[in-house]
Amino acid sequence: MSSEHNRLDGIKFIKALESFQLPDDGRVVVAVSGGADSVALLWFFKSFWSGEIIVAHVEHGIRGSDSREDAEFVAKLARDWGVECVIGHFDVPAQAEKGESIEMAARRVRYRFLEDMHVKYSACGVALGHNRNDTAETLLLNIFRGTGLRGMAGIPRQRGAFFRPLLGFTRDSLRSVLARNGIAWREDATNDENYYLRNKLRNIIIPQIEEAVNSQVVEHLASLSEEMSFWREKEEQIGKDLFSSLCHETPTGEKTFSIKEIRRQSASDIGILMREAGRMLNLRALSRHRIEVLSDLIRRSGKFAFQWEKNATIYAEDGELVFVIEK
């Protein structure tokens, strides 16, 4: 019976991979934390993909001996499965920037390391182990923080080099895959700590909704997110077109816009343009409220300074909107 389950799950995984159009003889970097989701991701690639696999693990230097043991576990798992493994060791608390939480710093360091791995190994992509529950949690997080259409789409299936082939699997189904194949994984004790909002959603709020409102809430939220992804892609294309036609570059490399030209656009398109500008300049995404504040400034004020993040400020003066990013 377990072999039949494996076969069906394998077919589902292969179909998901087909949508990313990976070359059969390509090389993929698989991000493995040691948790169930990422270990299942590695098992799927090892079992159902013919290309080369490079395991990438980030040891953040946050959780002491537990963090080091996670790295040792992943390295041994890769050896046992005959897969090359690269461990990145970092001191995230020491590398956190002013005003940046440890969680944000860890994410920034992790993605930078994975991007470096992608380039170093000339990989066709970096696979991440996000699942259906992650999609539902992200959607709720975005709603509670204040979001528009973009945030309703949750976790993107693919963004640049990063892709997520497990978004069709629930967290429980991935643990079932490992359990029936006798594969161990590491549990991160911090996942049980309800200090972070995501953990509160995962451990308290969603279970209460499942019990009191609808037991299929995760599936419904994930399905909504998938439907909204179509509209996010439409919005992003509008943003790309607006950015391409309205953005100018100074001799020093600064991105500028004519305020007069921007004001010819609808209020919604101004917001879409600003979000696209942020993406093009690798800036942190703004909340819907902050985008609305910025859009209102552009429409009504001839001179202002708007701080996007610590090292990025938008200046409006002499009819021009200028993005200044300090290195």
Side-chain angles (χ1 to χ4, degrees):
M1 190 65 173
S2 63
S3 61
E4 177 63 12
H5 282 303
N6 285 346
R7 186 184 71 82
L8 294 174
D9 284 337
I11 291 172
K12 185 175 181 179
F13 178 75
I14 292 168
K15 286 183 177 179
L17 276 193
E18 288 174 350
S19 66
F20 301 112
Q21 299 180 330
L22 303 177
D24 293 337
D25 59 349
R27 180 184 295 130
V28 167
V29 173
V30 180
V32 181
S33 67
D37 304 334
S38 63
V39 171
L41 177 67
L42 179 58
W43 178 83
F44 273 117
F45 269 102
K46 181 65 178 174
S47 301
F48 300 103
W49 195 63
S50 59
E52 184 180 351
I53 300 168
I54 306 292
V55 167
H57 175 84
V58 176
E59 197 270 292
H60 293 112
I62 298 175
R63 293 166 40 243
S65 61
D66 283 347
S67 183
R68 293 188 294 273
E69 288 170 7
D70 286 347
E72 292 167 1
F73 171 83
V74 171
K76 183 179 185 303
L77 182 67
R79 284 197 305 272
D80 291 345
W81 288 2
V83 177
E84 183 175 352
C85 178
V86 180
I87 308 290
H89 296 277
F90 300 93
D91 184 354
V92 167
Q95 295 185 31
E97 299 174 352
K98 185 177 180 180
E100 185 179 43
S101 69
I102 294 298
E103 186 180 30
M104 289 171 59
R107 184 181 188 280
R108 175 175 54 79
V109 168
R110 180 170 64 254
Y111 275 87
R112 184 178 61 198
F113 172 72
L114 293 174
E115 287 172 348
D116 291 344
M117 290 281 290
H118 172 249
V119 173
K120 178 180 178 180
Y121 286 91
S122 301
C124 55
V126 179
L128 304 176
H130 297 101
N131 58 58
R132 210 154 182 76
N133 295 73
D134 293 316
T135 297
E137 292 162 8
T138 299
L139 173 57
L140 283 181
L141 275 173
N142 291 342
I143 290 173
F144 295 155
R145 288 169 174 165
T147 189
L149 185 150
R150 178 174 171 77
M152 292 284 284
I155 302 175
R157 292 179 58 260
Q158 188 168 14
R159 178 74 67 189
F162 298 96
F163 67 101
R164 300 172 172 87
L166 298 185
L167 291 181
F169 294 84
T170 64
R171 189 171 292 134
D172 286 344
S173 70
L174 294 174
R175 280 157 175 70
S176 294
V177 167
L178 298 181
R180 67 172 176 261
N181 287 283
I183 301 168
W185 66 87
R186 294 272 298 174
E187 289 287 359
D188 184 345
T190 62
N191 287 337
D192 295 325
E193 298 173 359
N194 295 322
Y195 174 79
Y196 297 112
L197 179 54
R198 182 177 289 273
N199 285 4
K200 290 179 182 177
L201 282 173
R202 179 179 301 173
N203 300 327
I204 301 174
I205 297 173
I206 290 179
Q208 287 180 345
I209 294 173
E210 287 175 329
E211 180 178 353
V213 182
N214 191 319
S215 62
Q216 296 299 308
V217 63
V218 168
E219 178 59 32
H220 294 324
L221 288 171
S223 295
L224 172 61
S225 180
E226 289 170 349
E227 185 173 336
M228 296 305 292
S229 293
F230 171 82
W231 297 106
R232 178 170 65 182
E233 290 172 6
K234 294 289 187 184
E235 181 190 275
E236 289 183 356
Q237 187 56 56
I238 293 172
K240 288 180 173 65
D241 293 341
L242 287 169
F243 186 88
S244 176
S245 63
L246 298 178
C247 180
H248 309 282
E249 188 167 323
T250 69
T252 57
E254 293 172 340
K255 304 296 184 183
T256 72
F257 299 84
S258 162
I259 293 177
K260 185 177 180 179
E261 290 179 351
I262 293 180
R263 285 176 175 172
R264 292 196 186 107
Q265 314 305 314
S266 67
S268 61
D269 279 356
I270 293 174
I272 290 172
L273 171 62
M274 289 300 100
R275 279 192 287 271
E276 179 61 25
R279 285 193 290 273
M280 294 296 291
L281 298 173
N282 296 315
L283 301 178
R284 186 168 58 233
L286 296 182
S287 69
R288 181 179 61 181
H289 173 68
R290 291 267 286 156
I291 285 288
E292 288 173 349
V293 169
L294 175 57
S295 298
D296 192 59
L297 283 171
I298 292 170
R299 292 197 306 274
R300 302 177 187 277
S301 302
K303 184 176 180 179
F304 66 84
F306 178 90
Q307 187 169 23
W308 190 295
E309 55 185 58
K310 185 180 71 171
N311 298 322
T313 304
I314 302 175
Y315 295 95
E317 192 171 10
D318 298 327
E320 293 289 322
L321 198 70
V322 184
F323 282 74
V324 177
I325 302 175
E326 301 174 5
K327 302 298 183 184

